[in-house]
Amino acid sequence: MTVDPIRPADPIRPVDPIRPADPIRPVGAATTTTATDSPNPWVAEHIRRFEETAGQPRPGISDLLLTTRGRRSGLLRRTALAYVRDGDGDGAAYVLTASNAGAERHPAWYLNLEADPAVTLQVGAGTFAATARRATPAEAERLWPVVVAAMPSYAAYRAATDREIPLVLVTRAGGA
């Protein structure tokens, strides 16, 4: 029997040197350390401006870059998002809104982090590993007014869809 080096005959998942215990990555999925930017031209341009301005592409708005692992491909995916903070200091959560501009489906980045909550954030010039989770109903109720105050368009997005728009809390890995 010939063994395909990309899809081993053994049903045990291949070892990924970057994420050796990744239970989500499909057998034979590609692994990489280089993120692919969003295919949306507006988002790709936003990422470019983020990098050119050391993380300040829109004065007065807090933006970050979120890197997730694709739930089907296993590839790293990067997108630009607005955020608000919940708490103070390094332990404060970054609050992301999975609005998808009010579309009837969740954004791909949200589906990816549901499958694998280990993410990377770039805030300003700093990059760090983080963990994402959906806000509880009580947290979402408390945070929605804060999110809308920072980005009023989220109120219109919320009104435009029948789905519940999730809020996501992202904290530094290890709680530090």
Side-chain angles (χ1 to χ4, degrees), residues 35-155:
T36 301
D37 289 343
S38 171
N40 179 312
W42 183 88
V43 176
E45 174 63 17
H46 190 82
I47 292 169
R48 186 189 63 74
R49 284 193 324 268
F50 185 98
E51 291 177 331
E52 289 175 351
T53 62
Q56 296 298 317
R58 301 183 291 174
I61 297 176
S62 298
D63 289 305
L64 57 73
L65 298 183
L66 170 73
T67 302
T68 60
R69 186 164 299 272
R71 65 196 177 283
R72 293 184 299 227
S73 69
L75 297 173
L76 296 176
R77 306 289 185 182
R78 186 167 69 164
T79 193
L81 299 166
Y83 71 90
V84 297
R85 295 294 299 270
D86 183 33
D88 297 314
D90 284 346
Y94 294 85
V95 181
L96 310 179
T97 307
S99 71
N100 206 13
E104 287 302 317
R105 66 190 183 290
H106 293 310
W109 64 263
Y110 176 76
L111 299 174
N112 289 343
L113 66 79
E114 271 193 320
D116 183 354
V119 299
T120 302
L121 290 187
Q122 181 177 346
V123 181
T127 301
F128 54 91
T131 304
R133 68 172 178 84
R134 185 175 182 151
T136 66
E139 289 168 328
E141 184 177 339
R142 177 177 57 82
L143 290 168
W144 261 107
V146 177
V147 167
V148 170
M151 291 288 293
S153 59
Y154 286 138

Side-chain angles (χ1 to χ4, degrees), residues 6 9 12-13 21 41-42 55 91 98 124 127 136 161-162 175:
I6 296 174
I12 297 174
R13 297 178 193 277
W42 183 88
T127 301
T136 66
T161 185
D162 291 330

